[in-house]
Amino acid sequence: MFANPSFHGRPLQFLPTVRNELCRSYAFPLQLHSTTYQFFASSALENRRTRSRRRNSTQFSLRASVDPQEVSVLPPDSAGVPGSPSPFSVRIPVGDRHITVETGLIGRQASGAVTIRDGETIIYTTVCLADVPSEPADFFPLSVHYQERFSAAGRTSGGFFKREGRTKDHEVLICRLIDRPLRPTMPKGFYYETQLLSWVLSYDGVHPPDALSVTAAGIAMALSQVPNSQVIAGVRIGLIGDKFILNPTIKEMENSTLDLLLAGTKDAILMIEGYCDFLPEDKLLEAVEVGQDAVRGICKEVEALVQKCGKPKMFDAIRLPPKELYKLVEEIAGSELVEVLQIKNKIPRRKALSSLEENVISILSEKGYISTMEAFVSTETMPDLLEEEDEDEEVVVDGEVDEGDIHIKPVARKSVPLLFSEVDVKLVFKEVMSKFLRKQIVDKGKRSDGRSPQEIRLIDARCGLLPRAHGSALFTRGETQSLAVVTLGDKQMAQKIDNLVDEDEYKRFYLQYSFPPSCVGEVGRVGAPSRREVGHGMLAERALQPILPPEDDFPYTVRVESTITESNGSSSMASVCGGCLALQDAGVPVKCSIAGIAMGMVLDTKEFGGDGTPLILSDILGSEDASGDMDFKVAGNDVGITAFQMDIKVGGITLQIMKQALLQAKDGRKHILAEMSKCSPPPSRELSKYAPLIHVMKVKPEKVNLIIGAGGKKVKSIIEETGVEAIETQDDGVVKITAKDLLSLEKSKAIISNLTMVPTVGDIYKNCEIKSVAPYGVFVEIVPGREGLCHISELSANWLAKAEDAFKVGDRLDVKLIEINDKGQLRLSRRALLPDAETEKQSTKPRSASLSNDNVVSPKTSDKGKSKKAATVSKESENPLKEKTVPVNVSSPAKEAAKRSVSP
């Protein structure tokens, strides 16, 4: 039983005495209570360790120790999982309802596992850690995966494999929502790879799972062994009228003018992301305050849960670089760092920093360095051998010296150069560089490119660069540049979205963002979009969406592509500006112009010579994003905000700081909008000649089937005949025709109009073509796509035995509409338009005019039939207005008539 004991699902190797004691005393699962245990790595594991880790003399951190005195017996119903907590649940009030959190029932071998429920929507989230630490890096090794199971809504995947596969875009966005608030709470120096998995197990179509997933992730992380600092939670805030709603339902969100998702701790805000319809800054701050209060309440409840069910945190596994290394890096590179950080252009500055970093690494990890600081040398260097002394040398000091006293002259020890691991030097160099950059901004009030904190980079904008594109714009702000291209199309170009609800969703507007490695002067992978590209594209898309016209006014599907051709910070906001100009260049009647700006922050300014007030930076550079404390993107116009996204790299910010950032961002947007208005050449604001033409027409809903035809044959024939690209019909009678030229559009428009027209008894149609011939009459196309039956009794003033005796397919004649039956079938008459119709009608043998007798032929003698036929031919030859009768092949028209026969 104890051949491979485990603690939280991980194999352990106990000391022999402990193992023997356990084997003698117990024969069933055990619960282990303690904090650390001795881990003896095998020789194979030692061989796999890299050279940099072998340099470090710190022994492997211990996760849990086993003390025989602390081993307790679990009850038989513990399912044999050592250390697993008992099931425990708690109900937490959120808004006008409760969410239920449960742990200890599912996923007991994970480091942290939680099931959270809102209504009938259930999220299951786990956190697991690797058994051994990864190589030290400048980021926390966390991976987040979120998946929506179709079975949660009683569905299955529509794909061939019938199972969930590649992560969808909206799942990637939720992964980012989970990841971003977690990272600021993670300690530096913890290198155990951590994986967070989240699944939607049940979805009721009422309570959305994204905000719930953020809270579930925060609780699972708090319950796990990861030494994160604080509990986090997330909520969504909607705005209906003047009322803020916490975690609104799907139906409530349809009427909301705000979609804000906020995550934070009980003390501060860590992340916000949302979209709104030109919401003023003060209203947004009110929403953030409502959300922060809700998060505070959730966090307090979770803290109580963690006290009962949480696992011991692995604080002893945190490994930081030696403190003395910071002083050495500053001593070696400090003066050069000051000069390098003042280089204005990104590429030269990056290369200079890289060269300086390599030099520091070479000195501290290969050559060795002796500090010039006396205090540091005396206390921190390794012990050396003393200089050799002459045994007979005595030192005589002032005063009397007793016989036998020997005084040795003190000699300073030799300083041995210190060597550090390359990874530690890189980590420290990055932190020192960040410190110098922040000090330069706070102390001197100047940034790397020479701007003041509130100053915006130079802006250049131009439109119409690509002649065959429907719309294009190049937006440049400093060293950040976006090439935006707009393509217009019909519904076939719309983006189909797979979701949990059993209905198809199509997006008529979408923005796709790409960030090739060439935009930063590097080489790298080119392929499927990264999570960052998906997130930045969605932010820009949602920022532009409020300015689009309604579909009734502009029936096009709109695609915007933003390719970042240069990047030095704030490329997503450049996509907003470039996308807005490209839409105008494509002739899209947008409501107004909007712009986007990214704000940064240096929080603790006292450390760098400031007065302690947070310093807000407008239009941040890439280095200021990496080394600063905040990345706050805000898009909108001078009236309100359409989209926002904030990430924090510190423990959180307050509402006052956020208010200052929003007001400064508003001033920045006004400046950018003014520069965009100077675009040269300006946007054309007209549809490109290469853009498709879309005509929208309205017909009676019951007439839609006439356009489609049996199996779609009719609509396909119209497309082939006219050359249009597509014809889209809707159940409400709306018909959209997409064409490349006006001629084909007008032709298809006429056909559909004729098909769906409402004919009136008494209408006369000239020069109509016979489409098919049957023994009981002919089918005449009165307008393109609309046919009626001219019965044999209405073809001529004289009696006819068979219609094919006098008419053939392709003949043309004038007809009059004389009847519309209950099924909408048309009955036509040629005889009613003949000049002698009234006189001949009296001499013509009476015949039934009912369509019910179309297939019935009255019995007649052969002689009478022959005489009638002869008379008919004679009459036809005498009347020049009537069609000439030509013998035709009976079999072919008969087959065609059988296909087109109508019910009586």
Side-chain angles (χ1 to χ4, degrees):
M1 168 173 281
F2 293 95
N4 187 21
S6 63
F7 182 74
H8 305 317
R10 297 177 179 82
L12 310 180
Q13 294 183 5
F14 299 113
L15 292 172
T17 56
V18 175
R19 183 174 64 249
N20 295 337
E21 181 68 19
L22 291 175
C23 292
R24 286 195 301 267
S25 303
Y26 302 97
F28 42 82
L30 306 178
Q31 185 173 7
L32 311 179
H33 303 273
S34 60
T35 55
T36 58
Y37 65 84
Q38 291 281 345
F39 183 91
F40 296 93
S42 64
S43 58
L45 178 61
E46 285 291 333
N47 292 335
R48 289 197 300 269
R49 291 183 177 177
T50 61
R51 176 174 59 88
S52 62
R53 191 185 301 169
R54 286 200 302 268
R55 285 201 194 110
N56 188 1
S57 61
T58 304
Q59 292 186 353
F60 191 86
S61 298
L62 308 179
R63 187 173 303 182
S65 68
V66 176
D67 187 346
Q69 303 298 328
E70 296 183 357
V71 177
S72 63
V73 180
L74 285 179
D77 60 354
S78 61
V81 182
S84 60
S86 300
F88 187 86
S89 63
V90 61
R91 296 180 75 233
I92 302 175
V94 180
D96 58 354
R97 60 183 185 272
H98 289 75
I99 60 174
T100 303
V101 178
E102 186 176 48
T103 186
L105 179 64
I106 305 177
R108 292 172 295 177
Q109 297 187 42
S111 181
V114 67
T115 303
I116 187 168
R117 175 173 183 153
D118 185 7
E120 292 183 347
T121 297
I122 299 176
I123 310 294
Y124 168 56
T125 302
T126 63
V127 173
C128 288
L129 289 78
D131 291 330
V132 295
S134 305
E135 286 296 327
D138 58 351
F139 62 93
F140 179 66
L142 170 68
S143 61
V144 176
H145 299 272
Y146 167 90
Q147 186 180 69
E148 295 178 350
R149 296 284 177 86
F150 282 95
S151 57
R155 296 181 56 201
T156 188
S157 173
F160 176 79
F161 295 102
K162 298 302 177 187
R163 67 180 297 170
E164 290 76 13
R166 185 179 68 88
T167 305
K168 304 177 182 64
D169 283 359
H170 72 276
E171 293 174 328
V172 169
L173 297 173
I174 297 176
C175 286
R176 286 171 55 84
L177 290 175
I178 296 171
D179 184 284
R180 282 159 39 206
L182 288 177
R183 290 191 180 274
T185 65
M186 299 303 164
K188 294 181 180 179
F190 186 76
Y191 301 122
Y192 285 82
E193 183 179 354
T194 305
Q195 186 180 54
L196 189 146
L197 304 178
S198 186
W199 296 272
V200 180
L201 300 184
S202 177
Y203 178 60
D204 57 8
V206 178
H207 305 95
D210 46 2
L212 204 61
S213 300
V214 176
T215 300
I219 298 174
M221 195 67 75
L223 293 171
S224 73
Q225 298 164 283
V226 178
N228 57 318
S229 57
Q230 298 183 71
V231 177
I232 71 163
V235 295
R236 168 176 270 108
I237 301 97
L239 177 62
I240 300 179
D242 293 329
K243 182 182 179 182
F244 293 106
I245 301 175
L246 281 170
N247 282 358
T249 63
I250 298 292
K251 187 175 181 180
E252 288 173 332
M253 282 303 300
E254 294 176 358
N255 301 317
S256 176
T257 57
L258 170 67
D259 183 3
L260 165 63
L261 199 146
L262 180 145
T265 67
K266 64 180 181 180
D267 300 319
I269 303 164
L270 294 173
M271 183 272 294
I272 63 171
E273 179 169 328
Y275 315 98
C276 44
D277 192 4
F278 299 100
L279 195 70
E281 283 78 3
D282 57 348
K283 206 68 176 176
L284 176 59
L285 289 171
E286 289 182 33
V288 171
E289 187 173 5
V290 171
Q292 188 181 17
D293 291 340
V295 166
R296 185 180 297 113
I298 297 174
C299 290
K300 289 180 180 179
E301 295 286 345
V302 173
E303 286 178 353
L305 175 66
V306 173
Q307 291 295 325
K308 296 180 180 180
C309 307
K311 293 184 173 66
K313 297 293 184 179
M314 296 172 56
F315 291 109
D316 56 344
I318 296 175
R319 176 189 166 280
L320 296 172
K323 293 182 179 179
E324 62 269 19
L325 187 54
Y326 292 85
K327 298 179 182 179
L328 292 176
V329 171
E330 288 188 28
E331 186 178 335
I332 296 172
S335 58
E336 292 184 61
L337 266 176
V338 173
E339 296 178 2
V340 169
L341 291 175
Q342 293 177 354
I343 300 176
K344 291 186 176 182
N345 294 328
K346 176 184 175 179
I347 299 298
R349 183 171 64 251
R350 187 185 69 189
K351 290 183 177 180
L353 282 172
S354 178
S355 176
L356 180 58
E357 181 185 29
E358 289 297 325
N359 183 41
V360 173
I361 292 173
S362 176
I363 292 174
L364 291 177
S365 64
E366 297 176 6
K367 299 178 182 177
Y369 177 73
I370 301 176
S371 175
T372 58
M373 296 180 290
E374 182 178 354
F376 181 78
V377 170
S378 62
T379 57
E380 300 295 333
T381 54
M382 297 178 62
D384 300 318
L385 297 176
L386 296 177
E387 296 257 356
E388 293 184 359
E389 306 282 350
D390 292 334
E391 293 182 0
D392 297 336
E393 183 176 1
E394 294 184 1
V395 179
V396 179
V397 295
D398 293 340
E400 297 182 359
V401 178
D402 293 334
E403 186 178 354
D405 290 344
I406 300 176
H407 296 269
I408 307 300
K409 182 176 69 175
V411 179
R413 294 176 298 175
K414 286 184 178 179
S415 299
V416 175
L418 296 177
L419 295 177
F420 299 89
S421 70
E422 181 178 332
V423 174
D424 283 345
V425 177
K426 285 185 175 181
L427 292 175
V428 172
F429 182 85
K430 181 178 179 180
E431 291 191 36
V432 171
M433 185 269 293
S434 175
K435 175 182 175 181
F436 275 66
L437 177 64
R438 292 150 69 97
K439 181 175 178 60
Q440 174 181 296
I441 296 173
V442 174
D443 191 22
K444 298 181 179 179
K446 290 292 182 182
R447 297 149 77 175
S448 294
D449 56 1
R451 289 182 293 143
S452 64
Q454 293 82 20
E455 192 175 350
I456 310 297
R457 289 174 287 179
L458 293 177
I459 293 174
D460 178 71
R462 56 189 67 188
C463 291
L465 276 74
L466 309 178
R468 294 304 294 257
H470 299 162
S472 61
L474 184 68
F475 179 83
T476 307
R477 180 166 53 200
E479 292 181 298
T480 297
Q481 188 178 75
S482 167
L483 176 62
V485 179
V486 170
T487 305
L488 304 177
D490 59 0
K491 187 178 180 180
Q492 293 181 351
M493 200 181 82
Q495 187 179 34
K496 184 179 178 180
I497 305 297
D498 291 330
N499 52 34
L500 287 176
V501 183
D502 192 13
E503 59 184 25
D504 293 334
E505 180 182 351
Y506 292 90
K507 290 173 62 176
R508 61 178 290 262
F509 170 68
Y510 51 96
L511 187 148
Q512 296 169 333
Y513 167 102
S514 59
F515 191 90
S518 61
C519 70
V520 289
E522 297 176 354
V523 296
R525 181 188 67 87
V526 177
S530 65
R531 291 188 172 189
R532 178 181 179 276
E533 289 174 308
V534 172
H536 281 34
M538 178 55 67
L539 178 63
E541 175 186 312
R542 296 293 296 270
L544 291 170
Q545 200 159 14
I547 68 173
L548 293 178
E551 186 175 4
D552 294 340
D553 298 337
F554 193 74
Y556 287 89
T557 295
V558 182
R559 178 194 183 196
V560 181
E561 300 168 87
S562 175
T563 303
I564 305 304
T565 50
E566 294 181 25
S567 179
N568 189 12
S570 189
S571 58
S572 62
M573 295 297 96
S575 299
V576 173
C577 302
C580 179
L581 291 171
L583 288 172
Q584 295 173 349
D585 189 57
V588 180
V590 295
K591 298 176 183 177
C592 63
S593 296
I594 65 170
I597 187 170
M599 313 298 294
M601 180 183 67
V602 178
L603 186 60
D604 189 6
T605 57
K606 276 189 176 180
E607 182 184 353
F608 310 110
D611 59 359
T613 304
L615 180 63
I616 306 297
L617 306 176
S618 295
D619 186 22
I620 57 175
L621 302 174
S623 58
E624 294 168 345
D625 181 8
S627 301
D629 296 325
M630 179 181 73
D631 181 12
F632 192 4
K633 303 179 180 72
V634 188
N637 60 5
D638 54 356
V639 175
I641 299 170
T642 59
F644 51 90
Q645 183 184 93
M646 183 187 71
D647 297 323
I648 296 295
K649 301 178 179 65
V650 291
I653 64 171
T654 62
L655 283 173
Q656 186 60 34
I657 297 175
M658 187 179 294
K659 180 179 181 180
Q660 182 183 348
L662 285 172
L663 294 177
Q664 193 166 317
K666 185 175 183 178
D667 294 337
R669 293 199 310 273
K670 290 180 180 179
H671 172 80
I672 297 169
L673 287 169
E675 294 297 318
M676 288 171 59
S677 64
K678 303 175 185 177
C679 178
S680 179
S684 67
R685 301 182 186 274
E686 295 180 357
L687 281 178
S688 168
K689 62 180 180 180
Y690 301 110
L693 301 174
I694 297 182
H695 176 74
V696 180
M697 57 191 302
K698 180 78 174 179
V699 302
K700 288 189 174 182
E702 59 270 18
K703 300 290 184 181
V704 171
N705 289 333
L706 295 175
I707 304 173
I708 299 174
K713 291 182 180 180
K714 190 61 185 177
V715 70
K716 290 178 182 177
S717 67
I718 298 174
I719 292 174
E720 291 176 0
E721 180 181 349
T722 60
V724 297
E725 291 186 340
I727 297 175
E728 175 195 345
T729 60
Q730 299 178 7
D731 294 338
D732 59 355
V734 174
V735 180
K736 295 180 182 179
I737 308 170
T738 305
K740 290 183 177 180
D741 57 87
L742 187 60
L743 181 62
S744 60
L745 179 66
E746 291 294 338
K747 190 174 181 181
S748 62
K749 178 182 169 183
I751 294 176
I752 293 174
S753 298
N754 292 329
L755 272 175
T756 58
M757 72 173 186
V758 180
T760 305
V761 174
D763 290 344
I764 298 175
Y765 302 95
K766 299 285 187 179
N767 196 30
C768 300
E769 183 182 357
I770 297 176
K771 288 296 185 181
S772 62
V773 180
Y776 51 83
V778 297
F779 289 90
V780 182
E781 185 179 53
I782 56 174
V783 292
R786 190 72 186 273
E787 298 178 7
L789 173 66
C790 187
H791 193 265
I792 191 172
S793 62
E794 298 293 336
L795 279 173
S796 173
N798 300 314
W799 182 85
L800 289 176
K802 294 182 180 179
E804 59 262 29
D805 292 341
F807 300 95
K808 68 179 185 299
V809 174
D811 290 347
R812 293 186 172 274
L813 61 159
D814 300 338
V815 292
K816 181 179 180 180
L817 179 60
I818 58 175
E819 182 184 347
I820 303 175
N821 67 7
D822 296 338
K823 297 181 179 180
Q825 296 168 340
L826 308 181
R827 185 166 180 264
L828 307 174
S829 173
R830 174 177 177 268
R831 186 165 62 92
L833 299 179
L834 297 177
D836 55 348
E838 293 297 327
T839 57
E840 291 187 2
K841 185 183 298 183
Q842 299 175 0
S843 62
T844 305
K845 184 177 180 179
R847 292 181 293 270
S848 173
S850 173
L851 291 177
S852 61
N853 294 327
D854 287 346
N855 295 320
V856 179
V857 180
S858 301
K860 299 177 177 63
T861 61
S862 59
D863 292 340
K864 291 182 179 180
K866 289 179 182 178
S867 63
K868 288 288 183 180
K869 184 175 181 179
T872 302
V873 172
S874 176
K875 282 288 182 181
E876 294 287 349
S877 61
E878 293 174 3
N879 191 346
L881 296 177
K882 296 184 180 181
E883 299 289 339
K884 183 178 179 181
T885 303
V886 182
V888 294
N889 185 356
V890 177
S891 61
S892 177
K895 292 180 181 179
E896 184 68 15
K899 295 180 182 179
R900 293 178 174 269
S901 62
V902 294
S903 303

